[in-house]
Amino acid sequence: MQSFEEILTSISDVLWGYPMIILLVGTHILLTIRLKFPQRKIFTAIRLSLAKDKDGEGDVSQFGALATALAATIGTGNIIGVGTAIALGGPGAVLWCWLTGVFGIATKYSEGLLAVKYRKTSKKGHMIGGPMYALEYGLHAKWAGVLFAFFTAVAALGIGSTVQANAISTFAGDVLNVSPWITGLVVTILVALVLIGGIKSIAKVCTALVPFMALLYVIGCLIILCMHIDYVLPAIKLICLSAFTPDAVGGGIAGGGVMIAAHYGIARGLFSNESGMGSAPLVAAAAKTKNPVRQALVSASGTFWDTVVICAITGIVIVSSVLSHADVAELHTVTLGRLFNHILTDELFHLDGGTLTKFAFSQIPVIGAPLLMFGLFTFAFSTILGWSIYAQRAVEYLLGNVGVKVYTWIFLVAVFVGAVISLHTVWTMADIFNALMAIPNLFALILLSNVIVKDTNKYLWGGRLDEE
């Protein structure tokens, strides 16, 4: 078993190495330039996400589609993943994570556009789409669409169900001393009750849950920032300097360096917002929208909220919390990077990346731990719901409605199993299949970029957003 895990780890390291990061970031930058910086329209995107497109075809509202996608992307990565990036790459990883989100907006926009443009109506009468349909009907490469759908269905059993359920049961055991078997049973029943109603039921739950959970988490972060107000600006300064200046990098647990900060920051950002992975388009295709560009903008706002806002706030909270263990006077007399590293390694050596956020929230008296527990539960639970839709759309493409029914039971079993087992191998396998999802999707985005540019020029820059 140990040899098998080592083989999986080696495969994951290759797939998520520098070639993949270059491909993903390169796609972000290419689309940003070719589409004339659609990030400029982020406030238009937010406005559209809150409006109802009554004349558009689709199964759920634009906000419902966005909330479902955000449910899948705003997860444990926002809470734990940012801390891991800081622990391994130093404070500068936060800025690289943020920059990945900024440029990733263009990629998420492009995915949403293709999802609507190539969507189809299923035999049951609902809208279906995603990278597999863009690959089949846009590039006439059905074999690539089949591969993408297969990788999605397998990945959902890892990152979309097992991993999230384990995060919930672990925190419930630590904070509430609840047996993982009980937690697993409760979570599985709750997921099953929501899945019975299909995408409309999931979208309704996510529409109600996502804004509330995100707002509550952000409020908790703001409370911590107010408590450490004297350390916020030094934290931001350290994050910016550490991203580009070797001498300023205090380093994390793994040691500092600009390339290390960039590597972990970019990788964490990509995992967080899923821009380029091809997952969000699977639900974006069901949105009621007049034209592909309107939903593309709404989809792009998801990356803005997930990474540009939430991950950035989490990063500042963690860095300022660590710095708060120094005297205010030291902020002006000692190199910030060295100070950060000294506190983290010498005074807080018992902390690793996965517990840095717990440490930050524990500083809120009385409600800190319960608030984080609630945030983790809602983030992880909503991620399970979002990924269930992704998986169902993928299986429907491969095997039809009968396959979806069988897969749903397998998905529920995975949720329960995830709550009661160790997940190192599952995490690694999930990473592998996430990378395998991204590869065909990224090539579809690059090869269909002319289509994306044409529609963008027509509807967005041509002032025709309200036309069909």
Side-chain angles (χ1 to χ4, degrees), residues 225-238:
L225 292 178
C226 289
M227 293 171 62
H228 302 149
I229 191 65
D230 292 333
Y231 299 89
V232 172
L233 288 180
I236 295 174
K237 179 181 177 181
L238 176 59

Side-chain angles (χ1 to χ4, degrees), residues 32 48 71-73 75 115 174 200 240 279 299 378 389 392 420:
T32 294
L48 288 175
T73 53
D174 292 343
K200 292 184 178 180
C240 295
S279 51
S299 294
T378 53
I389 285 294
Q392 287 178 9
V420 298

Side-chain angles (χ1 to χ4, degrees), residues 247-272:
D247 292 340
V249 178
I253 293 172
V258 172
M259 289 304 297
I260 293 177
H263 173 78
Y264 285 107
I266 291 171
R268 185 65 268 155
L270 296 172
F271 273 113
S272 173

Side-chain angles (χ1 to χ4, degrees), residues 6 40 55 103 105 181 238 254 265 274 280 330 378 411 422 425 428-429 434 451 459:
E6 290 175 354
R40 292 183 284 158
D55 298 327
F103 284 98
I105 288 173
W181 293 88
L238 176 59
E274 297 180 11
E330 291 185 86
T378 53
F411 187 86
S422 175
T425 301
T428 306
M429 292 183 68
N434 284 343
V451 175
Y459 291 107

Side-chain angles (χ1 to χ4, degrees), residues 39 96-106 269 273 275 303-304 307-308:
Q39 291 89 338
W96 286 108
C97 178
W98 185 81
L99 289 173
T100 302
V102 171
F103 284 98
I105 288 173
N273 58 55
S275 294
T303 297
F304 172 79
T307 305
V308 178

Side-chain angles (χ1 to χ4, degrees), residues 368-414:
L371 181 62
L372 183 60
M373 176 63 205
F374 177 79
L376 182 74
F377 173 80
T378 53
F379 279 26
F381 182 75
S382 66
T383 297
I384 294 173
L385 297 181
W387 269 91
S388 71
I389 285 294
Y390 297 163
Q392 287 178 9
R393 289 294 184 256
V395 173
E396 184 175 2
Y397 178 81
L398 293 172
L399 303 173
N401 292 322
V402 175
V404 172
K405 293 179 180 179
V406 175
Y407 182 89
T408 299
W409 283 104
I410 297 174
F411 187 86
L412 290 172
V413 170

Side-chain angles (χ1 to χ4, degrees), residues 101-325:
V102 171
F103 284 98
I105 288 173
T107 301
K108 188 63 72 72
Y109 166 92
S110 301
E111 290 177 318
L113 190 153
L114 293 180
V116 175
K117 189 170 186 67
Y118 293 106
R119 67 183 179 181
K120 304 295 178 182
T121 303
S122 70
K123 293 180 180 179
K124 284 191 171 184
H126 58 254
M127 291 291 186
I128 50 177
M132 55 274 202
Y133 292 92
L135 287 162
E136 179 177 352
Y137 297 102
L139 294 176
H140 306 290
K142 184 173 182 177
W143 62 270
V146 170
L147 286 177
F148 173 85
F150 173 75
F151 295 146
T152 301
V154 176
L157 296 177
I159 193 66
S161 57
T162 318
V163 169
Q164 306 301 326
N166 187 266
I168 294 173
S169 68
T170 300
F171 264 75
D174 292 343
V175 178
L176 304 176
N177 198 29
V178 177
S179 166
W181 293 88
I182 296 175
T183 303
L185 183 61
V186 171
V187 173
T188 302
I189 292 174
L190 290 175
V191 172
L193 290 174
V194 178
L195 294 188
I196 290 174
I199 187 172
K200 292 184 178 180
S201 172
I202 294 174
K204 286 181 179 179
V205 172
C206 292
T207 298
L209 185 61
V210 169
F212 177 70
M213 72 180 192
L215 179 61
L216 195 62
Y217 178 74
V218 170
I219 289 174
C221 288
L222 293 177
I223 291 173
I224 297 172
L225 292 178
C226 289
M227 293 171 62
H228 302 149
I229 191 65
D230 292 333
Y231 299 89
V232 172
L233 288 180
I236 295 174
K237 179 181 177 181
L238 176 59
I239 288 169
C240 295
L241 289 176
S242 299
F244 302 106
T245 310
D247 292 340
V249 178
I253 293 172
V258 172
M259 289 304 297
I260 293 177
H263 173 78
Y264 285 107
I266 291 171
R268 185 65 268 155
L270 296 172
F271 273 113
S272 173
N273 58 55
E274 297 180 11
S275 294
M277 195 177 293
S279 51
L282 294 165
V283 68
K288 296 177 181 178
T289 184
K290 294 178 182 177
N291 59 65
V293 170
R294 288 175 70 92
Q295 181 54 36
L297 286 169
V298 173
S299 294
S301 69
T303 297
F304 172 79
W305 292 120
D306 177 89
T307 305
V308 178
V309 176
I310 295 180
C311 282
I313 292 176
T314 301
I316 297 171
V317 162
I318 292 174
V319 175
S320 63
S321 295
V322 173
L323 289 178
S324 70
H325 276 249

